[in-house]
C-alpha cells in the first residue's frame, strides 16, 4: 500500500471508529479483521507506528499511537496525533502511558514464577548522562539471561511509560541481586524518583510529596 497522509488516516478512522467501539462484542474473526485493518493503515503512514486500544464498557475509549519506546520517532508520533480530529467517544494520544509493571506478563509469570516487583536496580554510573540501567533479580541466572532481559525491558517500559523509557533510559542489563552493591541498589518502585533526581534537584514522589535530592 502506498504511504498515506495523516489526513487520509484520520478520515478513515473517523469513518470506521464505531467498529472499534464495538470490538468487544464482535466474533474473533471480525475482531482480527478490524485490528489488521488498523495495523495496515497505521503502518502505511509510518512503518514503525503501532497502536494500543483501551475499550471500556462505559466511558471514553482510548487510541494510543506508539513507536515502542524508540525516541528518534517520538516527534513523528506527536505530529501525527496532533492532526487527529475530535471523534465522539474517543481520546487519542501519542506514546503509551505508565501502566502496571506486570501488564501482559501474566502468562510469563505463571510459567516462570518470576515476579517483576522483585527487580531492584542501579544506574551503571553516577553521572546524570549515564542512563544505562542494571536490573537485578534474585532468580536471575546466565542460563535464563534472555528471558530476564526481556522481562526487565517490559517492566521498565511499563513502569516509566514510553516517553520516559525512550528518553531517560539508554539500555538495560540484568544480573543476580547478590551481585548488587548494597549501597547503590534500590527497589523497583523508586526508579521514577531516581530518574527525576538525575535531571533535577527536586522531584515529586508517588504520593505527591516534593522531595529534595539532598533529603
Amino acid at each position: 500500500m502506498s504511504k498515506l497522509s495523516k489526513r487520509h488516516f484520520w478520515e478513515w478512522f473517523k469513518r470506521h471508529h464505531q467498529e472499534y467501539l464495538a470490538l468487544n462484542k464482535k466474533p474473533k474473526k471480525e475482531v482480527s479483521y478490524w485490528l489488521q485493518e488498523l495495523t495496515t493503515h497505521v503502518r502505511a503512514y509510518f512503518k514503525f507506528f503501532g497502536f494500543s486500544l483501551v475499550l471500556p464498557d462505559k466511558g471514553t475509549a482510548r487510541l494510543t499511537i506508539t513507536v515502542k519506546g524508540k525516541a528518534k520517532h517520538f516527534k513523528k508520533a506527536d505530529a501525527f496525533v496532533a492532526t487527529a480530529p475530535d471523534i465522539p467517544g474517543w481520546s487519542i494520544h501519542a506514546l503509551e502511558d505508565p501502566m502496571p509493571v506486570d501488564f501482559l506478563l501474566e502468562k510469563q509469570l505463571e510459567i516462570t514464577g518470576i515476579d517483576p516487583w522483585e527487580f531492584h536496580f542501579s544506574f551503571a554510573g553516577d553521572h546524570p548522562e549515564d542512563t544505562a540501567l542494571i536490573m537485578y533479580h534474585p532468580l536471575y541466572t546466565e542460563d535464563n539471561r534472555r528471558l530476564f532481559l526481556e522481562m526487565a525491558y517490559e517492566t521498565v517500559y511499563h513502569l516509566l511509560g514510553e516517553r520516559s523509557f525512550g528518553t531517560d533510559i539508554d539500555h538495560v542489563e540484568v544480573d543476580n541481586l547478590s551481585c548488587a552493591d548494597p549501597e547503590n541498589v534500590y527497589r523497583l518502585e523508586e526508579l521514577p524518583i531516581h530518574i527525576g533526581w538525575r535531571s533535577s534537584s527536586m522531584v515529586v514522589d508517588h504520593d505527591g510529596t516534593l522531595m529534595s535530592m539532598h533529603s
Side-chain angles (χ1 to χ4, degrees):
M1 182 181 289
S2 61
K3 186 175 180 180
L4 301 177
S5 69
K6 300 184 190 76
R7 181 178 176 183
H8 181 104
F9 173 84
W10 292 118
E11 287 176 349
W12 172 85
F13 185 75
K14 192 171 185 177
R15 285 198 305 272
H16 298 288
H17 76 96
Q18 292 286 355
E19 301 290 351
Y20 295 94
L21 288 177
L23 209 61
N24 289 332
K25 300 176 182 178
K26 295 181 181 293
K28 288 184 179 181
K29 187 174 182 179
E30 200 171 342
V31 169
S32 179
Y33 168 80
W34 284 108
L35 290 178
Q36 185 58 48
E37 280 288 289
L38 185 51
T39 299
T40 299
H41 280 77
V42 165
R43 290 183 179 170
Y45 173 71
F46 185 54
K47 66 180 180 179
F48 293 109
F49 276 175
F51 67 88
S52 62
L53 292 169
V54 177
L55 304 170
D57 293 334
K58 295 182 180 180
T60 304
R62 181 185 180 101
L63 169 65
T64 302
I65 301 298
T66 173
V67 289
K68 295 304 178 188
K70 295 181 176 65
K72 63 182 178 180
H73 302 316
F74 283 0
K75 287 184 179 179
K76 203 170 189 74
D78 287 334
F80 185 66
V81 168
T83 65
D86 290 332
I87 302 176
W90 287 91
S91 63
I92 299 171
H93 303 266
L95 310 182
E96 294 182 306
D97 287 341
M99 60 191 76
V101 298
D102 56 357
F103 181 70
L104 297 182
L105 294 177
E106 291 86 353
K107 188 172 182 179
Q108 283 180 276
L109 296 178
E110 185 178 340
I111 294 172
T112 65
I114 299 170
D115 183 353
W117 280 113
E118 292 185 352
F119 274 115
H120 289 63
F121 75 92
S122 65
F123 290 97
D126 294 330
H127 197 280
E129 293 183 1
D130 189 352
T131 55
L133 193 67
I134 306 173
M135 297 285 285
Y136 300 98
H137 198 283
L139 300 181
Y140 169 83
T141 67
E142 285 294 331
D143 291 339
N144 289 326
R145 175 178 171 76
R146 185 172 181 177
L147 172 63
F148 273 91
L149 194 58
E150 289 176 358
M151 185 169 283
Y153 267 100
E154 289 288 332
T155 297
V156 175
Y157 182 94
H158 293 160
L159 180 65
L160 297 181
E162 185 171 0
R163 196 175 298 274
S164 177
F165 177 86
T167 56
D168 297 323
I169 302 297
D170 178 34
H171 69 278
V172 177
E173 294 293 337
V174 287
D175 208 340
N176 190 277
L177 184 57
S178 64
C179 298
D181 177 358
E183 301 296 321
N184 192 37
V185 65
Y186 309 97
R187 294 176 301 174
L188 175 64
E189 57 265 33
E190 297 177 19
L191 179 57
I193 296 173
H194 282 261
I195 286 177
W197 279 340
R198 292 171 76 83
S199 59
S200 172
S201 61
M202 303 296 290
V203 65
V204 178
D205 70 7
H206 63 281
D207 292 322
T209 303
L210 190 63
M211 303 177 68
S212 167
M213 187 172 183
H214 306 291
S215 61

